[in-house]
Amino acid sequence: MDLTQGTDQEKTARSKKMMLWFGIGSLIMSFAGLISAFIVSSKQRLNEDWLVDYQLPPAFLISLVLILLSSFTFILGKNALKQNNRKMVTIWLLATLILGVGFVYNQFVGFGEIIASGYHFAGPTSNITMSYIYVIAVLHIAHVIAGLICLIVVIYNHFKQKYNANNMLGFELAANFWHFVDMLWLVLFLFLYFFKYII
C-alpha cells in the first residue's frame, strides 16, 4: 500500500499508528533486554546468591487478573463506541480505569509482600533475584501509569464528545497501548513464575 495515498486524515491516522508501533517495538526490546539480563545473571550466579525457589507475591497474580479484565472492558468500550452507545462507552471506560488503578495498587501490595518476606530492593537485605523482579515490575508500572494517563485523556475527550463511530483514532491508539501493557504483564508474570522451574 502506498502510504502517501488517501486523505490528509487517513495519512495522519496511519502515521500516528506507525509511531505508536515503533514506540511499542522499542519497549519490547527494552523488556527483552531485562529478561535476557535476568537469564544470564541466573546462570552466572546460580551457585552464589541467586534464589532458585523465589515466590512471586500473590498480589501479582491478582494484578494480572485485574489488568486482563481491563483489556476486556476496553474492548467492550470500543465496541460500544462503534455503535455510538455513549452511555456504555462511559461505563466501560470507567471500569477500565478502576481496574487499571487496582492493578497499580496490587503491585504495591506485592512489593509490600516481598519486603515482608525479607527482601528489599537494595542494601544488606536485598537479593539480586528480587532486585530484578523489583526493576521489571516498577518499569512496567511506569508504563501502566502512562497508559492510565492516556485513558484519562480518552475519558475526558469522550465527555467532550470528541469520539464517535467515524472518529476513533485517539481511542484506538490508547486502546492499543493499553492492550500492549496488559499483554506485557502477562508475559512478564508467566516468565517470572515459570523460570524458576527451568533453571
Side-chain angles (χ1 to χ4, degrees):
M1 178 182 179
D2 187 351
L3 296 179
T4 63
Q5 292 181 343
T7 65
D8 287 343
Q9 185 177 5
E10 290 171 338
K11 288 188 280 189
T12 298
R14 282 198 301 267
S15 64
K16 288 183 177 179
K17 288 178 181 179
M18 190 175 296
M19 288 174 60
L20 174 65
W21 287 114
F22 279 138
I24 286 175
S26 68
L27 292 176
I28 289 172
M29 289 188 288
S30 298
F31 279 95
L34 277 173
I35 289 173
S36 298
F38 188 92
I39 293 170
V40 169
S41 294
S42 71
K43 303 300 182 186
Q44 291 179 339
R45 306 182 73 150
L46 184 60
N47 298 318
E48 298 177 27
D49 56 353
W50 188 266
L51 287 179
V52 293
D53 59 346
Y54 66 87
Q55 298 292 324
L56 292 181
F60 278 14
L61 176 59
I62 295 171
S63 66
L64 174 63
V65 173
L66 292 176
I67 204 163
L68 292 178
L69 284 174
S70 74
S71 255
F72 182 64
T73 56
F74 218 147
I75 291 169
L76 291 174
K78 183 177 178 180
N79 290 339
L81 182 59
K82 288 178 180 177
Q83 299 166 5
N84 285 318
N85 187 339
R86 296 188 54 76
K87 179 180 178 182
M88 292 310 299
V89 173
T90 302
I91 290 171
W92 293 125
L93 285 178
L94 291 176
T96 304
L97 180 63
I98 291 167
L99 290 166
V101 171
F103 170 85
V104 174
Y105 171 77
N106 275 279
Q107 291 283 284
F108 282 103
V109 170
F111 293 147
E113 291 171 354
I114 292 173
I115 292 170
S117 66
Y119 299 107
H120 291 79
F121 174 68
T125 57
S126 67
N127 174 275
I128 187 169
T129 312
M130 301 311 288
S131 293
Y132 267 115
I133 292 173
Y134 271 113
V135 170
I136 290 170
V138 167
L139 284 177
H140 181 262
I141 288 172
H143 292 92
V144 171
I145 290 172
L148 286 172
I149 293 169
C150 293
L151 179 57
I152 290 168
V153 171
V154 166
I155 292 170
Y156 173 79
N157 287 335
H158 168 65
F159 284 124
K160 299 287 284 186
Q161 300 188 15
K162 182 175 179 179
Y163 305 121
N164 55 56
N166 299 315
N167 182 18
M168 300 177 60
L169 179 60
F171 195 106
E172 287 179 333
L173 293 174
N176 288 340
F177 182 73
W178 190 259
H179 297 320
F180 164 70
V181 294
D182 291 3
M183 292 303 104
L184 178 60
W185 181 245
L186 174 63
V187 170
L188 292 173
F189 180 87
L190 292 176
F191 169 77
L192 293 172
Y193 184 84
F194 287 108
F195 183 78
K196 62 186 177 182
Y197 297 113
I198 61 176
I199 60 172

